[in-house]
Amino acid sequence: MDINELIKISESAQKFSYSPYSHITVGAALLTKSGKVYTGANIENASYGATICAERTAFVKALSEGEHDFEAIAITSNLGHETAPCGICRQFMDEFVKDDFKIILVNKEGEPSVRPFSYFMPDSFRIEN
Ligand code: THU
């Protein structure tokens, strides 16, 4: 799939964001190796710590339907600048992605970047199984 197409899907996933507290809408589009796309949006909670980010929403949707081979994720928001994944999402993704997994972001000029997951999560904690 084309990068720009994945970004568009991520942007449209923002419409399902539930963010009455931060008013930040985040969208994610997770592409599997088989070419399927799972979308996600951030879902907030009055108990702020219970909030679920867009990335984890997309991953949990995919994982709970049996998907385990991931190619890339496009992350977008209404912030007007690159929206890099938070630390919890980096750790969460680390459990399920391989070295070739890519993170696609969009900068304030609207230009996409494609970076390996290892750029965001070097030297991660891992237990071999
Ligand atoms: N958020 C995400 O959805 N993904 C991230 O990686 C960073 C933060 C959401 C959570 C919360 O709803 C809002 O952005 C502000 O933190």
Side-chain angles (χ1 to χ4, degrees):
M1 172 171 299
D2 174 57
I3 285 168
N4 293 311
E5 203 178 329
L6 200 61
I7 290 168
K8 277 211 175 70
I9 296 169
S10 170
E11 285 169 346
S12 57
Q14 285 180 50
K15 68 173 172 285
F16 298 120
S17 165
Y18 176 75
S19 41
Y21 305 104
S22 74
H23 303 288
I24 297 168
T25 61
V26 185
L30 175 62
L31 177 65
T32 68
K33 293 259 187 215
S34 64
K36 275 180 84 172
V37 177
Y38 290 85
T39 59
N42 55 325
I43 308 297
E44 297 188 343
N45 194 278
S47 178
Y48 297 171
T51 292
I52 304 171
C53 293
E55 298 92 315
R56 279 177 287 141
T57 304
F59 265 89
V60 168
K61 282 170 71 178
L63 290 160
S64 62
E65 293 190 22
E67 298 284 354
H68 278 274
D69 295 319
F70 302 111
E71 180 78 30
I73 190 167
I75 306 162
T76 60
S77 78
N78 63 352
L79 284 170
H81 57 73
E82 268 194 352
T83 306
C86 80
I88 294 173
C89 287
R90 292 177 201 210
Q91 179 62 37
F92 187 94
M93 290 190 272
D94 191 65
E95 185 79 19
F96 301 107
V97 303
K98 305 257 173 14
D99 289 343
D100 62 347
F101 186 70
K102 291 171 278 301
I103 297 205
I104 301 165
L105 304 177
V106 182
N107 69 16
K108 60 180 188 307
E109 282 79 35
E111 295 153 352
S113 65
V114 182
R115 298 196 194 99
F117 182 70
S118 58
Y119 173 90
F120 297 93
M121 193 71 176
D123 299 326
S124 63
F125 173 71
R126 283 205 169 153
I127 300 169
E128 298 300 329
N129 57 14

